Amino acid sequence: MSKNEKWKPIIPADKTLPEFTPVSLILGLILAVVFGAANAYLGLRVGMTVSASIPAAVISMGILRYLLRRDSILENNMVQTIGSAGESLAAGAIFTMPALFMWAEESHEVAMPSFTEIAAIAVCGGLLGVLFMVPLRNALIVEEHGALPFPEGTACAEVLLAGEEGGAKSKVVFAGLGISALYKFITDGLKLFPSEVHWNLRSLRTAFGLDVLPALAGVGYICGQRVAANMFAGGVLGWFVLIPAIVLFGGDNMIAPAADRISEMDVMSIWGSYIRYIGAGAVAAGGIISLIKTFPVILRTFTKAVRGIGVQRQDALRTSRELPMGAVLAGVLLIAVVIWLLPSVPVRLFGAMLVIIFGFFFATVSSRMVGLVGSSNNPVSGMAIATLLIATALLKGTGMTGYTGMVSAICVGTVICIVAAMAGDTSQDLKTGFIVGATPMWQQIGELIGAVVAALTIGGVMYLLHAAWGFGNSSQLPAPQATLMKLVVEGVMGGTLPWGLVFCGVFVAIVIEILGLPVLPVSIGLYLPIHLSAPIFVGGMIRKLVESQKADTEEAAALKKDRVDRGLLYSSGMIAGEGLIGILLAVLAVIPMRGGTVAQYIQLNFSLGNAGGIVFFIFLLLSFLGIVRKVR
C-alpha cells in the first residue's frame, strides 16, 4: 500500500469541481446511445467493436470546453464514463443475442424476442457488470497502480489532461465522422457505386473482393498492422488455399452440409457451407487456447479479488468513496431474482445461479485482462464461447433440451458476455478517474445509468437492423460472432454441427499456436469473408506507414506520435460516421414510400460498378493519409 500512498491525483481529494451534473449526464447519455448504436452496427457487420472512451472524451472536451465554456476535467471524465457504457454493452449484446432472431426465423418453436426481453437481459447484464466491479476497484485499480497499465484508461486520462489540445483533437474526430457519413450515404444510400467489389478468379478456382468502406479501414488502423495482417492471413488461407482445394477435390460430389454438387456451387456458397464451419472451429479453439494461456493470471487475479472484497479504505477522502457494499450485494441479489422470475427472461433458478457465478468470475477475468492489454484486445468472445459450452452442457443435463434449452443458454451467455464487457469498460473508466481525481461513487452511478439507457436503446437498434436486412444471412449484417455462438449452442445441444469441419478448424488453430502466431486474429480472418479482412489489412498498412516515420530527434518523435494519435481519432470518427449512417439507412429501409421504401426511392438509376468503388476507396485512403500527416 505504501507505493500508492505517494500517488497524488491531478485534482486533489480535498478539492471539489463540478462532476456529476445535469449537463454531463445528458451529454454522456447521448454519446452512450450514439456509440452504442454505431458499435452495434459495426459488430454485426464485422464481428468487432472498438473502445469509445477516448472518442467520447475528445468530443466531450470539444463540446463542454468550447461550445458551453465549461472548464472541469471531472465533468469531462463523467461524460466519457457514461458515454463509453453504450459501446461496451452493445459489444456484449450483439455477440450473442442475434441468435434469438435467427432461431425465430428458422422455427415456429421460438418466438421473436420482444423488446422487453432484450431490454431486460441487457439491463441485468449491464448492471451486474458495474456492480461486480465495485468490490474489485480497490484490488485492481488502487492496489495495483503501476503494475496494471490499463492502456486505454491511461490514454483517456492523457486526453482529458490535454485541455485545449483535447478541443483541437475533437475536430479530427468530427472530420472523420463527416467524411465517413457522406461516403457511406453515397455508396449504400444513393448506390452510386457498390460498397462490396468482387471478382471471380476462375483460373485459381476462387474469388477475391473487399468492402470499400471507411469503418473497416478505421478498424484496421486502430488494430494496427500486425493484428490486421493476421486477420488477412486467415482470409488468404480460407479463400486461396481451402476453397480451391475443396473445388479441386470435390468435383461433382455432394458433401454435407451442402445440398448441391460442389462443381455447381459458387464461391460464396462454398464459404458458407464449409469454410464458415472450419473458421468456427478455429475461433472456438482460439478462444479456449487464450483462456488456457491466461489461466494462471486469471487464478491469481480471482484470488486477490476475493481476498479484497469488503476491505474498505478507512479514510473519508472524496477520491475513495464508493457505492456501499450493502447496496451492491442487495443489487446483485435483486438482479438474480429478476433473472429467475421475470417471464421475459427464459432462465430458471439454475440458469440464474450460473449467471451470478460465471458473471463474477468473468468480470474479474475481464477487468484483469483489460488492465493488461486494453479493452480492444479483451477476449470477450472467448469467455462467451467457454460460457456457452459449459452452460449448454449443464442445462442439457438438467433436462432443458431443444430450442428451450438453446434459448436459455443464449440468454445466460448474453448476460455473462455483457457482464464481461461492462466490467472491462468500467475498470478502464475507474482507472481514468483514479488518475484525474474523480469520485468513484459518482462514476459508478454514471455507469449504472448509462448501462440502463444503452440497454433500452439496444433493443430498438436490433429490431431496426433486423427489419432492414436480417441477421446472419445478409452481406449487410452477417453477424459473425452471433452466428458462431448459435452454432456452438446447436452443436452441444443437438449435435447438428458438421464436426469433421469444426475439428479441422480446431487443429488449424493448434497449428497457428504452435507456429507462435496470435490464434484469434488469424481464426477470425478465416471465419469472416475475405471482403472484410482485406480493407482491414489496408487500414493496418496505413498505420504501419505512419509509424515507419523516422523519429531520430525529440521533435520528430513528437510529430510521429501526433500523427499516430490523429489517425486513431480520425479512425474512431470514421467508424462512428459509418455506423450512424448505417442506422439511418436502416430506418429509411423500413419506411414505405410509393410502393417501396424511402431507401429504394433515393437510389440512383446507375452505378459506377467495381471500378467506381475502387477509385472512391483510393480517394478515401488518400484523404485519410492527408488528415493523418497534416501538421497542426
Side-chain angles (χ1 to χ4, degrees):
M1 186 62 188
S2 59
K3 66 181 179 180
N4 294 318
E5 288 175 350
K6 297 180 180 179
W7 168 255
K8 300 294 182 184
I10 303 303
I11 304 300
D14 58 357
K15 184 177 181 180
T16 302
L17 291 178
E19 188 169 2
F20 190 76
T21 64
V23 173
S24 65
L25 177 62
I26 293 172
L27 181 55
L29 291 177
I30 292 173
L31 292 180
V33 172
V34 169
F35 282 110
N39 265 287
Y41 175 80
L42 178 66
L44 289 167
R45 188 172 180 90
V46 302
M48 299 175 64
T49 60
V50 295
S51 175
S53 293
I54 293 177
V58 169
I59 293 173
S60 167
M61 187 72 71
I63 293 176
L64 292 183
R65 185 177 294 273
Y66 285 92
L67 295 183
L68 302 180
R69 303 297 179 182
R70 301 172 72 92
D71 188 14
S72 171
I73 190 173
L74 300 187
E75 198 173 27
N76 287 321
N77 178 62
M78 182 57 63
V79 173
Q80 73 83 18
T81 296
I82 300 173
S84 62
E87 166 266 323
S88 55
L89 188 139
I94 56 91
F95 281 178
T96 50
M97 207 172 291
L100 299 177
F101 289 86
M102 298 181 204
W103 281 327
E105 292 283 347
E106 295 173 2
S107 173
H108 296 295
E109 296 181 39
V110 181
M112 189 68 68
S114 66
F115 175 84
T116 302
E117 181 178 341
I118 296 173
I121 293 172
V123 166
C124 290
L127 295 181
L128 282 176
V130 179
L131 293 176
F132 282 149
M133 187 55 208
V134 174
L136 299 176
R137 189 192 79 91
N138 194 60
L140 297 180
I141 306 298
V142 180
E143 294 292 338
E144 298 207 41
H145 179 63
L148 292 178
F150 284 96
E152 283 145 332
T154 303
C156 190
E158 291 178 355
V159 170
L160 292 171
L161 292 172
E164 296 294 333
E165 184 181 3
K169 287 182 177 180
S170 67
K171 296 178 183 178
V172 180
V173 177
F174 283 119
L177 190 151
I179 291 176
S180 174
L182 177 62
Y183 185 101
K184 175 72 173 178
F185 186 77
I186 291 174
T187 178
D188 282 341
L190 300 180
K191 301 286 187 180
L192 178 61
F193 58 90
S195 59
E196 179 181 289
V197 298
H198 180 89
W199 299 275
N200 289 312
L201 307 176
R202 291 185 174 84
S203 59
L204 298 177
R205 304 192 179 192
T206 186
F208 180 73
L210 67 162
D211 286 5
V212 289
L213 291 170
L216 298 177
V219 168
Y221 187 95
I222 291 173
C223 290
Q225 182 265 340
R226 185 181 178 188
V227 173
N230 287 323
M231 288 186 64
F232 187 59
V236 172
L237 173 63
W239 288 69
F240 289 92
V241 177
L242 297 181
I243 288 180
I246 290 171
V247 173
L248 180 63
F249 293 110
D252 292 329
N253 294 317
M254 186 182 299
I255 304 173
D260 299 314
R261 292 183 175 87
I262 291 178
S263 60
E264 298 173 353
M265 298 170 65
D266 59 24
V267 174
M268 290 305 298
S269 298
I270 293 174
W271 171 82
S273 299
Y274 303 107
I275 305 302
R276 188 174 66 167
Y277 291 100
I278 297 174
V283 172
I288 294 171
I289 288 172
S290 298
L291 285 177
I292 292 174
K293 289 171 66 178
T294 57
F295 186 76
V297 176
I298 291 170
L299 187 60
R300 288 196 302 268
T301 302
F302 185 76
T303 303
K304 283 186 177 182
V306 171
R307 290 175 180 171
I309 291 179
V311 178
Q312 299 294 327
R313 304 189 68 179
Q314 298 302 314
D315 55 61
L317 295 178
R318 176 184 59 79
T319 52
S320 300
R321 295 179 196 148
E322 298 188 83
L323 288 174
M325 192 56 58
V328 172
L329 294 176
V332 171
L333 180 60
L334 177 62
I335 294 170
V337 173
V338 169
I339 293 174
W340 172 29
L341 298 179
L342 196 65
S344 59
V345 181
V347 177
R348 296 177 184 173
L349 176 61
F350 183 68
M353 293 171 59
L354 288 178
V355 166
I356 300 303
I357 295 171
F358 281 98
F360 180 73
F361 180 76
F362 282 122
T364 308
V365 172
S366 178
S367 300
R368 177 75 183 194
M369 293 298 101
V370 163
L372 291 172
V373 301
S375 299
S376 299
N377 299 310
N378 190 15
V380 172
S381 60
M383 300 179 203
I385 291 171
T387 299
L388 288 175
L389 286 171
I390 298 171
T392 307
L394 292 176
L395 290 171
K396 184 178 181 181
T398 62
M400 294 186 68
T401 58
Y403 280 110
T404 302
M406 292 192 295
V407 169
S408 184
I410 281 291
C411 290
V412 170
T414 298
V415 175
I416 294 173
C417 199
I418 294 174
V419 166
M422 284 296 300
D425 172 74
T426 303
S427 65
Q428 289 282 18
D429 293 338
L430 290 174
K431 183 65 173 184
T432 303
F434 179 72
I435 294 173
V436 302
T439 307
M441 182 182 69
W442 289 124
Q443 282 193 279
Q444 291 157 355
I445 292 174
E447 290 274 7
L448 292 171
I449 297 174
V452 171
V453 172
L456 296 176
T457 303
I458 197 68
V461 172
M462 281 191 175
Y463 260 93
L464 176 62
L465 294 175
H466 180 262
W469 297 300
F471 296 140
N473 295 319
S474 69
S475 59
Q476 283 285 349
L477 295 174
Q481 294 281 16
T483 303
L484 171 60
M485 304 305 171
K486 172 176 175 285
L487 294 177
V488 168
V489 173
E490 289 176 345
V492 175
M493 188 66 72
T496 57
L497 279 181
W499 287 105
L501 294 173
V502 172
F503 278 107
C504 284
V506 169
F507 287 103
V508 166
I510 292 174
V511 169
I512 295 170
E513 176 64 23
I514 292 173
L515 292 174
L517 298 174
V519 180
L520 275 177
V522 179
S523 299
I524 291 173
L526 176 60
Y527 178 74
L528 294 174
I530 199 170
H531 304 72
L532 300 178
S533 58
I536 290 174
F537 176 67
V538 172
M541 294 306 296
I542 292 178
R543 172 75 174 267
K544 178 69 173 179
L545 181 63
V546 175
E547 291 180 335
S548 64
Q549 173 186 330
K550 291 184 179 180
D552 47 4
T553 65
E554 186 174 335
E555 182 180 357
L559 178 61
K560 176 180 176 179
K561 183 179 184 302
D562 179 69
R563 286 176 171 172
V564 172
D565 291 344
R566 287 172 66 84
L568 292 172
L569 294 171
Y570 190 77
S571 297
S572 299
M574 288 201 301
I575 292 169
E578 182 179 326
L580 294 177
I581 294 301
I583 298 296
L584 173 63
L585 294 178
V587 173
L588 299 181
V590 297
I591 298 177
M593 184 175 184
R594 298 185 181 181
T597 65
V598 174
Q600 294 171 332
Y601 181 74
I602 64 174
Q603 293 176 13
L604 300 177
N605 294 323
F606 64 92
S607 171
L608 299 178
N610 285 351
I614 292 296
V615 169
F616 269 82
F617 192 54
I618 291 174
F619 277 121
L620 174 73
L621 298 177
L622 291 175
S623 68
F624 189 176
L625 273 173
I627 291 290
V628 170
R629 297 181 65 85
K630 180 180 178 182
V631 179
R632 290 185 286 113

